[in-house]
Amino acid sequence: MKEYWIQYKRQSQAEHKASFPTFWRVWSSHYSFMRFRSTSSHAQCSECVKHKALISSLADHLNARKVQQDLLYTHLQAQFRDRSCYWRMRGLARARGLDVVCIQDGIDQSKFIVPRTSLMRAKTFEGFMRPKLHLVGVIAHGRHVAFYISEPNIPKDSNTSCEILADSLQRLAVAGVDLSACRVTLQADNTCREVKNGILMRYVASLVSDGVIGSGRLSFLRTGHSHEDIDQLFGRVASFIKLKVRTALTSSDFVHALEEFTRQLDRPFEPQRFVVKLDSIRDWRGWLSEAMPVSLKGIGGPGAPHVMHFCRRVDAGLLLQREATMFELRLALVRPLCA
Ligand SMILES: [Zn+2]
């Protein structure tokens, strides 16, 4: 808890900052319902692990230890500021204005092994190969929660990510959202295989260019600190599957289980719920590479926090010097967003 107090002191703009006993008293009286996860199965941030290891090994070198502590807190402050930008966008999206924010991620596949039944514990099935289903969750803040489940033979790649983004946007349009006036943000983790790649950038650029959406953004938090509310939702899905789903012999049984889960889900900001079975995926990669042979190199290091913003020249306040149909792809790399 002392670490959180030190971070609070560094973060706070107030002239008089609370002492540790006051901080502790307020925490225990107002926020005692909040719990910290004891252990996590996810990989930890390399930067954090490096500084923590150095701090613990520098017990006899107070000055060096203090420098390492400062570096660690500076790093934690920077990731908190990145996160604050996402929370701000989420707040605007929940107000249901012109901001649409979707966060997309895949769940740990080990939770969705088929068939799922107690009979599989038998020695007879010891060497039985059980396929793992893919599950991707999307929270369109202020709009809907959607789960996309697919068989293992459908790859988790940029094609699937394009398909899911297209489906999410279609559902928003059907719900009456005027996407052509909206600023659409897709938040995801740093996995280059799924969202942080040239295919998704081309797809969002084409949506902006064609006027389907007003402007588009691909937003990523830094590696090791990219876990957000979607992961908290996945934790609830995993608990539900573990406690309530004793038997699921096919992917359809998991679809029914997820539909049951979404009916019980208490997320007042997102009243609509969808569970979609993806049977096949279109070849977005081939089409986008052919339609837009633009070099999109220069994303930078895979671990850095990035926001790729796409807008039309006319919306950026620039005069059109060519035909109106020749909308130019404007790629702005903002790195880091708010350092
Ligand atoms: Zn870190």
Side-chain angles (χ1 to χ4, degrees):
M1 184 53 75
K2 201 147 190 172
E3 273 189 16
Y4 291 102
W5 173 64
I6 293 169
Q7 281 182 52
Y8 146 76
K9 279 211 304 178
R10 292 174 67 104
Q11 203 85 28
S12 175
Q13 305 285 330
E15 197 178 333
H16 302 290
K17 293 167 187 172
S19 63
F20 182 66
T22 308
F23 183 81
W24 178 245
R25 199 167 51 246
V26 171
W27 176 270
S28 45
S29 61
H30 288 72
Y31 302 103
S32 55
F33 60 91
M34 291 178 76
R35 294 279 179 272
F36 294 101
R37 250 192 323 200
S38 52
T39 53
S40 170
S41 58
H42 298 289
Q44 286 188 28
C45 165
S46 311
E47 195 78 9
C48 288
V49 170
K50 181 184 79 181
H51 290 309
K52 283 177 183 171
L54 283 167
I55 289 167
S56 61
S57 66
L58 290 170
D60 299 331
H61 303 82
L62 290 182
N63 286 339
R65 185 185 162 95
K66 188 171 180 314
V67 169
Q68 284 303 321
Q69 278 175 332
D70 282 343
L71 288 170
L72 173 64
Y73 290 133
T74 304
H75 167 71
L76 290 175
Q77 267 181 290
Q79 71 83 25
F80 185 82
R81 284 199 296 264
D82 294 339
R83 217 175 269 283
S84 301
C85 289
Y86 167 66
W87 294 338
R88 181 179 175 277
M89 290 191 295
R90 182 177 67 183
L92 290 170
R94 283 177 176 170
R96 294 190 165 209
L98 291 178
D99 289 277
V100 171
V101 176
C102 297
I103 182 166
Q104 176 183 322
D105 201 0
I107 194 172
D108 179 11
Q109 294 176 26
S110 62
K111 309 284 188 308
F112 290 85
I113 298 177
V114 282
R116 178 187 174 83
T117 163
S118 57
L119 296 177
M120 295 308 293
R121 286 203 296 262
K123 188 81 175 165
T124 317
F125 296 118
E126 199 178 33
F128 196 81
M129 296 296 288
R130 291 194 293 165
K132 295 173 180 173
L133 300 177
H134 299 159
L135 181 76
V136 175
V138 173
I139 304 174
H141 287 292
R143 308 289 178 175
H144 68 243
V145 173
F147 290 106
Y148 297 85
I149 194 162
S150 58
E151 303 285 351
N153 60 335
I154 293 182
K156 284 170 69 183
D157 58 6
S158 52
N159 271 340
T160 306
S161 298
C162 282
E163 193 74 46
I164 289 172
L165 176 58
D167 187 82
S168 297
L169 293 177
Q170 174 68 17
R171 286 176 192 280
L172 289 169
V174 169
V177 179
D178 180 12
L179 291 172
S180 63
C182 285
R183 297 176 287 269
V184 177
T185 301
L186 177 62
Q187 182 81 29
D189 64 15
N190 279 281
T191 316
C192 299
R193 185 185 56 175
E194 291 166 12
V195 178
K196 197 174 188 179
N197 53 56
I199 303 299
L200 261 290
M201 289 163 75
R202 283 188 180 100
Y203 181 49
V204 175
S206 71
L207 290 173
V208 175
S209 172
D210 293 345
V212 178
I213 58 177
S215 65
R217 224 176 239 197
L218 293 174
S219 178
F220 311 91
L221 292 173
R222 65 185 65 200
T223 300
H225 294 282
S226 62
H227 286 216
E228 258 303 333
D229 41 18
I230 188 84
D231 297 284
Q232 190 258 347
L233 179 66
F234 286 160
R236 295 176 67 181
V237 172
S239 303
F240 180 84
I241 297 288
K242 190 178 173 186
L243 297 174
K244 301 282 173 69
V245 183
R246 300 280 178 216
T247 306
L249 301 181
T250 63
S251 54
S252 300
D253 293 334
F254 275 109
V255 171
H256 296 316
L258 285 168
E259 283 170 346
E260 178 65 29
F261 171 77
T262 52
R263 273 194 289 277
Q264 298 176 9
L265 194 61
D266 54 334
R267 288 189 70 94
F269 288 111
E270 290 84 29
Q272 290 189 297
R273 316 287 157 79
F274 304 105
V275 180
V276 181
K277 172 83 190 300
L278 292 173
D279 289 318
S280 60
I281 302 291
R282 284 168 283 187
D283 181 20
W284 296 84
R285 199 183 309 167
W287 170 67
L288 285 163
S289 303
E290 202 175 289
M292 203 184 288
V294 185
S295 173
L296 289 173
K297 288 178 181 170
I299 300 179
H306 287 113
V307 175
M308 266 73 85
H309 182 76
F310 300 85
C311 63
R312 281 172 287 188
R313 287 174 68 91
V314 66
D315 294 333
L318 299 173
L319 287 175
L320 286 175
Q321 295 170 349
R322 290 182 292 228
E323 293 289 316
T325 51
M326 292 287 286
F327 288 125
E328 186 170 304
L329 163 68
R330 281 193 57 80
L331 170 66
L333 293 179
V334 185
R335 184 168 71 101
L337 188 62
C338 52

